[in-house]
Amino acid sequence: MTIHAPKRDILPDLAAAIGEKHVLSAETDMAPYLVEERGLYRGEALAVARPGSTEEVAEVVRICARAGVPIVAQSGNTGLVGGGVPFGGIVLSLARLDRVRAVDPVNATMTVEAGCILARVQEAADAAGAFFPLSLGSEGSCRIGGNLATNAGGTAVLRYGNARELTLGLEVVLADGRIWNGLKGLRKDNTGYDLKHLFIGSEGTLGIITAAVLKLFPKPRLRATAFVAVDTPHAALTLFERLRAAHGDQLTAFEYIPRFGLEMVLRHAPGAVRPLESEYPGYALIELSSPQDHADLAEALETILGAALEDGLIQDATIAASEAQANALWHLRESLSEVQRQEGGSIKHDVAVPVSRVADFIDAASAACEAAMPGLRVCAFGHVGDGNVHFNLSQPVGMDKAAFIAEWGRFNRIIHDIVHEMGGSIAAEHGVGLIKRDELVHYKDPVAIDLMRAVKAALDPQGILNPGKVVPSAGPEILDAIPRAVR
Ligand code: ZN
């Protein structure tokens, strides 16, 4: 089904602009571009265009703009909210724009193209003697353009901030095909509106990011990693406060894992080893790091955890004695997303509350969900240090998977109401896409939604950039037309 029928066949124009072999229209070639990571949505497109330069991106956009054809920009297509799924029009893949254009060690910046795989960006920073801290589960396949378009978070936000905070400049192709060159690597620039922030997190609805100037940091030379047992989320939060007060910026990660989460990892993740002798209600994975190579972080961690044990704040702890042991502890945390699919249906929520409420939230939402469905297994985990909880629900054992997934809307209301009461956000780091678009109407300030619509109308008056995503619909309703197939 095509949402916007093109006025004429644009494929020959696209082929002339970027080369025939870079315009894919056979079903098998297009297949990987038409589904999202979890298989929740299956889309369709006229073609997939793979331009090789910013100028070619601009030419593709001009062709589509003239013909009124929608464009869904895609980089790694690893998103989790349906934001990259096309429903008609073309997919514009940025994968061929994969050059590191420049590294400036003194300015502590690097300029990269949107199609660079995140892990390659990290490696290029490393090769230049610096550190690019954005880190997330899909870093081996996600691309930086998508990370910026969704304002990605991950495990290092606590210390370094999210993608937005790591960006100093952008190059963007606008909806009319003009190129905005905002690739300045300045720490200070008050020449009017800070336009880059409009495009970061806009999920391809306002413009297509083609390159960025990213911030670099001193390489961490030492790290100390611990895995700690706690009785409650509140104990984890108190421990977090102590660590932050004692170590400030050296505290680079504080992740919470519930007992059910660790159980799943130990059951399903290859190579996972039980980190502590006994089982406990919850765990925290903690990392301190420093660019100094003489700081004794492990000793500092031992002191603070020893005091916490004595106080009864924590029940047990292990500190990695080697890099291999540290990696094994991180492996437990990093396996958590993947193993959930092996326990049947999973209903996922990516929410944030003020850090001060994060333990209250986990307690209240867990109790409400367990009361709503006996046998439900809550896996509330993640970036407790920045208030972002992945509040995921695994189906009761033996329940029909499709029947469980059909309850997604009911659990949205239960969980998002609690998030809202606590002054939180229903979309912390994965974005809005399709899956949360209409939830915004319930929870976002109506004035803010009006502003979003006004910005969208100003930057994309034809509505051709990723139509139907992010902005709650004020125009033609397309959601009913969108097939939502559950794998
Ligand atoms: Zn996360």
Side-chain angles (χ1 to χ4, degrees):
M1 155 248 347
T2 301
I3 309 297
H4 298 257
K7 294 186 186 88
R8 66 194 186 89
D9 184 7
I10 60 165
L11 268 52
D13 295 348
L14 294 175
I18 65 174
E20 199 168 349
K21 69 173 178 185
H22 298 305
V23 181
L24 315 178
S25 55
E27 210 150 295
T28 47
D29 293 341
M30 292 202 294
Y33 299 88
L34 304 181
V35 289
E36 56 92 63
E37 177 100 347
R38 290 200 293 246
L40 288 179
Y41 301 99
R42 177 172 298 280
E44 61 170 48
L46 299 169
V48 176
R50 292 167 47 88
S53 67
T54 301
E55 194 40 61
E56 286 189 1
V57 172
E59 187 52 29
V60 168
V61 171
R62 284 192 286 268
I63 290 166
C64 290
R66 278 199 298 273
V69 171
I71 302 163
V72 177
Q74 252 183 35
S75 51
N77 195 23
T78 57
L80 298 170
V81 292
V85 183
F87 298 98
I90 68 154
V91 171
L92 191 159
S93 167
L94 292 146
R96 290 180 60 224
L97 277 76
D98 62 351
R99 288 183 312 137
V100 174
R101 290 190 191 168
V103 180
D104 183 342
V106 178
N107 198 41
T109 53
M110 66 194 300
T111 305
V112 301
E113 293 184 343
C116 287
I117 288 176
L118 177 54
R120 301 289 95 73
V121 175
Q122 296 164 348
E123 286 162 13
D126 189 68
F131 179 61
F132 182 65
L134 187 66
S135 175
L136 44 145
S138 57
E139 63 196 23
S141 52
C142 65
R143 296 173 191 267
I144 192 73
N147 297 141
L148 295 171
T150 57
N151 187 25
T155 50
V157 172
L158 173 62
R159 161 67 179 88
Y160 297 99
N162 47 26
R164 183 184 300 285
E165 290 163 275
L166 299 173
T167 307
L168 290 175
L170 288 183
E171 176 187 83
V172 179
V173 173
L174 305 179
D176 59 7
R178 282 182 299 161
I179 299 166
W180 169 52
N181 184 345
L183 287 176
K184 284 184 175 171
L186 299 176
R187 259 87 181 167
K188 289 187 170 179
D189 179 7
N190 282 350
T191 54
Y193 306 143
D194 198 337
L195 298 172
K196 65 178 177 287
H197 288 309
L198 277 178
F199 299 102
I200 299 171
S202 74
E203 302 182 38
T205 62
L206 300 179
I208 298 172
I209 296 170
T210 49
V213 183
L214 305 173
K215 286 186 197 170
L216 297 176
F217 294 82
K219 253 191 221 191
R221 293 184 197 283
L222 269 185
R223 68 169 172 163
T225 309
F227 202 89
V228 173
V230 287
D231 275 340
T232 63
H234 278 94
L237 182 59
T238 304
L239 178 65
F240 167 71
E241 280 182 80
R242 287 190 188 183
L243 284 159
R244 185 179 56 185
H247 288 281
D249 272 356
Q250 285 185 335
L251 179 59
T252 39
F254 192 97
E255 299 281 315
Y256 181 75
I257 302 171
R259 179 202 292 243
F260 172 51
L262 184 62
E263 273 172 19
M264 280 191 285
V265 170
L266 294 174
R267 229 179 350 250
H268 303 297
V273 179
R274 182 178 292 287
L276 299 169
E277 258 172 51
S278 305
E279 289 177 30
Y280 299 91
Y283 306 91
L285 175 65
I286 298 158
E287 186 174 278
L288 301 182
S289 69
S290 168
Q292 299 174 328
D293 51 16
H294 55 274
D296 203 334
L297 296 179
E299 198 178 296
L301 202 48
E302 210 175 311
T303 306
I304 206 160
L305 294 180
L309 259 175
E310 232 160 78
D311 296 352
L313 182 63
I314 65 173
Q315 314 311 312
D316 195 2
T318 180
I319 299 174
S322 66
E323 197 69 359
Q325 283 181 15
N327 291 339
L329 295 177
W330 270 106
H331 177 59
L332 301 173
R333 166 64 186 85
E334 283 158 358
S335 304
L336 203 41
S337 300
E338 182 57 33
V339 296
Q340 289 170 72
R341 66 177 83 194
Q342 302 190 48
E343 294 281 331
S346 175
I347 294 178
K348 297 173 194 294
H349 297 86
D350 163 44
V351 301
V353 293
V355 175
S356 49
R357 303 303 306 276
V358 73
D360 293 336
F361 167 74
I362 293 174
D363 285 348
S366 299
C369 291
E370 283 161 358
M373 185 183 280
L376 180 83
R377 296 167 299 161
V378 175
C379 182
F381 71 99
H383 323 298
V384 158
D386 60 47
N388 176 194
V389 179
H390 295 306
F391 196 85
N392 294 354
L393 309 172
S394 281
Q395 65 171 75
V397 175
M399 185 178 179
D400 177 63
K401 181 177 170 183
F404 177 67
I405 296 290
E407 301 279 344
W408 200 308
R410 182 160 72 103
F411 284 109
N412 270 352
R413 196 59 59 242
I414 293 171
I415 295 161
H416 290 167
D417 278 356
I418 297 170
V419 168
H420 189 63
E421 264 167 44
M422 293 187 177
S425 165
I426 63 161
E429 64 173 3
H430 296 166
V432 174
L434 268 181
I435 209 167
K436 292 196 176 158
R437 190 192 76 165
D438 293 343
E439 282 292 280
L440 288 192
V441 179
H442 289 277
Y443 301 109
K444 204 166 168 87
D445 180 347
V447 176
I449 291 179
D450 277 354
L451 287 171
M452 282 172 63
R453 287 176 179 148
V455 171
K456 172 73 176 168
L459 270 71
D460 179 20
Q462 282 198 91
I464 60 168
L465 294 180
N466 210 2
K469 312 291 172 54
V470 184
V471 187
S473 183
E477 183 56 58
I478 69 156
L479 255 204
D480 291 344
I482 291 168
R484 180 169 171 172
V486 177
R487 183 161 58 189

